[in-house]
Amino acid sequence: MGKHGKHLVWDWNGTLLDDIGAVIGATNAAFTELGLATITLEQYRELYTVPVPKFYERLMGRLPTDEEWTVMDGAFHRHYWERAESCVLTAGAAELLAARQESGFTQSLLSLASHADLIPLVRRYGIAERFVRMDGRADASTDGKSGHMVRHLAALAVSAERVVVIGDAADDAIAAAHVGARAVLYTGGSHSRASLERVGVPVVDSLEEAVAVAEELA
């Protein structure tokens, strides 16, 4: 696949798509609707985790019931998609993706967003052709990305030793480690720098730096 070198697996929400404002707005709109207290961006970044029901457990002091989770998840996504139209790509993302593709290196996209929603959205931003494969969530599970990463790399037929995952969440690094790949985490999304640094992988403040660090990883 392309030149011999690193294959980058990109995350979407909070990494290539600068949607943290929409996420916080949707979270608080849903919380208000559900009678929960609103939270700040800083609180969100300290508390957010995958699977997402565990995030609600941190807020509520208990896991939501299946019925509560269905209502919470539905409310969040309704409010999120009302705001998503105003989101833009993270600064420099389109240029980085294009430059890397033009240099002969490969990259793919793996997201926990619904596959049916993800693909047309990526195409709308004009970057779909930069990826050799794009995968979103194909089911309604709340599992993290590890299992999806296994299937993604199997479909790519790329060795994990060549792979670096770039994302904004601890779960991205967990998924990378699960398959024997490396990870670089970006601070512009769902987690604070302090919470990302606890994961034990490189943490950066820009996507340009993320690509540079990814290329240097042995």
Side-chain angles (χ1 to χ4, degrees):
M1 293 179 63
K3 285 184 179 179
H4 181 70
K6 297 295 185 296
H7 172 86
L8 300 186
V9 176
W10 291 91
D11 173 57
W12 177 242
N13 298 99
T15 303
L16 290 173
L17 185 66
D18 183 11
D19 67 345
I20 189 63
V23 168
I24 291 298
T27 297
N28 280 330
F31 283 3
T32 298
E33 186 176 313
L34 298 166
L36 298 172
T38 59
I39 60 174
T40 65
L41 173 60
E42 290 72 22
Q43 288 172 318
Y44 181 93
R45 283 177 161 161
E46 282 300 319
L47 295 172
Y48 181 75
T49 190
V50 174
V52 179
K54 298 289 284 185
F55 169 56
Y56 284 91
E57 181 181 27
R58 291 179 175 183
L59 293 166
M60 299 168 62
R62 63 174 177 83
L63 277 171
T65 65
D66 290 344
E67 293 77 13
E68 287 173 330
W69 167 247
T70 298
V71 172
M72 290 170 169
D73 191 50
F76 169 80
H77 282 95
R78 177 162 34 83
H79 289 292
Y80 175 81
W81 287 110
E82 289 172 359
R83 293 161 171 79
E85 291 295 320
S86 63
C87 295
V88 298
L89 294 177
T90 299
E95 294 79 6
L96 283 168
L97 293 170
R100 201 167 192 285
Q101 182 189 41
E102 289 161 8
S103 295
F105 296 104
T106 57
Q107 50 204 340
S108 58
L109 182 66
L110 181 63
S111 173
L112 291 181
S114 160
H115 188 80
D117 293 326
L118 175 71
I119 303 307
L121 188 59
V122 177
R123 288 177 177 150
R124 195 185 82 189
Y125 284 99
I127 59 172
E129 68 275 13
R130 306 303 181 198
F131 305 109
V132 295
R133 185 176 181 87
M134 299 184 291
D135 286 318
R137 187 191 291 281
D139 56 35
S141 75
T142 60
D143 296 337
K145 196 174 277 186
S146 293
H148 299 286
M149 187 68 71
V150 172
R151 294 187 288 275
H152 186 70
L153 295 195
L156 287 168
V158 60
S159 169
E161 290 76 18
R162 284 186 52 210
V163 172
V164 181
V165 177
I166 298 178
D168 69 311
D171 187 56
D172 293 301
I174 292 169
H178 182 73
V179 297
R182 306 281 186 136
V184 180
L185 297 180
Y186 164 62
T187 61
S190 59
H191 286 34
S192 67
R193 171 175 274 278
S195 62
L196 292 178
E197 287 177 340
R198 289 194 287 269
V199 180
V201 303
V203 176
V204 299
D205 297 317
S206 73
L207 297 188
E208 182 178 13
E209 188 181 359
V211 171
V213 172
E215 292 295 352
E216 292 172 358
L217 289 175

